[in-house]
Amino acid sequence: MHHGRTDAGVHAYGQVANFKTNSNLPIDKFAIAINSRLKKTIVIKKAEEVEEDFHARYACKQKTYEYIIDNSQYGSAIYRNLMYHIPQKLDVESMKEAVKYFVGEHDFKAFKASGTSSKSSVRTIYKAEVIKEDEKIIIRLTGNGFLYNMVRIISGTLVDVGLGKIKPNEILNRIEEKDRTKAGKTLPAHGLYLRSVEYN
């Protein structure tokens, strides 16, 4: 069985997995049948037939991740495991300016967990935005692939911008220096969401 990967504790709306089967069950019944056997933390939304050589991880063209910050003063008891709470007021306008510098093809070596083995740290980000919804701040990144912890480190760096520790126009230097210690901290997994995976 092949599937896309996310870290432990990360939420996924659009995870894709593929497997070979000799089952005679009609394809439109697969989701119901599998859901009846799964624990409640996972729900299969759709099943479809694909080419023999399809691979859920390697065939992926782009992914969209979101990191969600609760920027309210006191946080939320109900959503505490679904958003990362930062009580200090973040400067969202600066974060919006800073996030644009991540767009394009870059060597994101400064934005991956140190000691990870991926051969090349060059990735392309097609779209990067910071969205404010009431007291929620959403960092949304779409790219052709992401390094280990990359979204959580980019988000931590944008939080540093929001706190005034880094100026928006310093982001490009942080990327070009390729130094993990100059980028922000890795934010916790529970604020991260895999939103969608595109194959076309």
Side-chain angles (χ1 to χ4, degrees):
M1 181 166 166
H2 304 300
H3 56 81
R5 294 187 299 185
T6 51
D7 309 343
V10 175
H11 313 284
Y13 280 86
Q15 189 65 283
V16 174
N18 69 285
F19 57 90
K20 293 187 166 93
T21 177
N22 297 321
S23 169
N24 295 322
L25 192 70
I27 194 80
D28 58 346
K29 297 283 189 287
F30 257 91
I32 297 163
I34 298 171
N35 281 330
S36 70
R37 307 300 294 271
L38 286 173
K39 51 188 182 180
K40 293 284 179 274
T41 51
I42 304 173
V43 175
I44 307 292
K45 292 179 174 176
K46 192 171 86 174
E48 57 187 87
E49 276 192 72
V50 291
E51 298 293 325
E52 272 285 313
D53 60 357
F54 175 81
H55 191 295
R57 196 159 104 229
Y58 302 127
C60 171
K61 293 285 184 282
Q62 66 175 49
K63 287 182 177 180
T64 297
Y65 279 98
E66 285 182 356
Y67 198 92
I68 304 181
I69 295 164
D70 173 359
N71 200 207
S72 64
Q73 191 176 352
Y74 299 112
S76 161
I78 295 171
Y79 297 113
R80 71 185 184 283
N81 296 325
L82 300 173
M83 300 182 220
Y84 177 50
H85 178 232
I86 301 178
Q88 303 97 310
K89 269 286 159 259
L90 297 174
D91 178 349
V92 180
E93 291 312 307
S94 290
M95 292 170 73
K96 283 183 176 182
E97 193 185 326
V99 78
K100 294 174 188 160
Y101 290 99
F102 289 106
V103 174
E105 184 181 83
H106 301 286
D107 186 339
F108 284 101
K109 191 176 177 191
F111 299 89
K112 70 169 191 163
S114 49
T116 53
S117 62
S118 45
K119 291 178 186 65
S120 167
S121 44
V122 175
R123 297 290 184 276
T124 303
I125 292 187
Y126 305 120
K127 195 173 178 191
E129 50 192 339
V130 172
I131 301 143
K132 191 170 181 345
E133 289 180 3
D134 300 321
E135 295 191 287
K136 262 194 331 192
I137 298 169
I138 301 162
I139 296 162
R140 184 181 295 151
L141 303 170
T142 299
N144 64 354
F146 292 90
L147 301 160
Y148 187 54
N149 284 356
M150 177 172 157
V151 179
R152 289 160 61 186
I153 297 167
I154 288 176
S155 298
T157 307
L158 289 168
V159 164
D160 281 349
V161 171
L163 292 169
K165 293 180 185 175
I166 299 176
K167 291 187 176 69
N169 61 5
E170 289 174 341
I171 292 292
L172 214 48
N173 293 349
R174 296 288 196 274
I175 296 171
E176 285 167 358
E177 284 169 347
K178 302 189 183 83
D179 181 351
R180 172 68 195 93
T181 62
K182 300 273 178 68
K185 66 177 184 176
T186 307
L187 296 189
H190 68 265
L192 183 62
Y193 293 77
L194 173 62
R195 279 287 165 190
S196 63
V197 183
E198 307 292 329
Y199 290 97
N200 45 15

